[in-house]
Amino acid sequence: MKTCLIVDDSKVIRKVARHILETLNFAVAEAADGREALAQCHAHQPDVVLLDWNMPVMSGMEFLRALGDETLAKRPKVVFCTTENGMAHIRAAIEAGADEYVMKPFDRETLESKLQIVGVA
């Protein structure tokens, strides 16, 4: 079973994403900020991270850069999931190491499509 770590400070977004991912047969873990997510990646490395941009403690971009500095056996795929939709944001995320980008609000089909693009669905 594939694993996904949902990183978002919104409980509602985590709940919606969890529901979608579980219908796609993912085992799901959650983190409320980047620092918590980084600790979870060390403990149980996910196949994919669904990552919010704007969070307290450690933002999505800070998490992504920190993840890039880690020496993990296999780097998880990272799908940014955010309301930030400007080309500059998308370009910055991809340049920082994101594998794909999905806009909030998203539905099952959109998320499944992005997961297929990065090779985990």
Side-chain angles (χ1 to χ4, degrees), residues 16-49:
V16 168
R18 172 183 283 276
H19 174 74
I20 292 170
L21 288 159
E22 286 176 344
T23 67
L24 296 172
N25 296 316
F26 276 83
V28 179
E30 298 179 19
D33 62 65
R35 185 177 298 151
E36 187 182 327
L38 210 51
Q40 286 201 36
C41 283
H42 284 288
H44 305 286
Q45 192 172 325
D47 294 304
V48 62
V49 175

Side-chain angles (χ1 to χ4, degrees), residues 18-80:
R18 172 183 283 276
H19 174 74
I20 292 170
L21 288 159
E22 286 176 344
T23 67
L24 296 172
N25 296 316
F26 276 83
V28 179
E30 298 179 19
D33 62 65
R35 185 177 298 151
E36 187 182 327
L38 210 51
Q40 286 201 36
C41 283
H42 284 288
H44 305 286
Q45 192 172 325
D47 294 304
V48 62
V49 175
L50 195 59
L51 182 63
D52 185 26
W53 190 291
N54 299 304
M55 296 178 290
V57 184
M58 180 187 274
S59 73
M61 284 298 282
E62 291 169 331
F63 166 82
L64 192 54
R65 289 187 187 105
L67 185 67
D69 293 340
E70 296 292 321
T71 53
L72 299 171
K74 182 176 178 250
R75 183 186 171 279
K77 297 292 184 179
V78 177
V79 177
F80 251 113

Side-chain angles (χ1 to χ4, degrees), residues 82 89 113:
T82 181
H89 280 98
S113 168

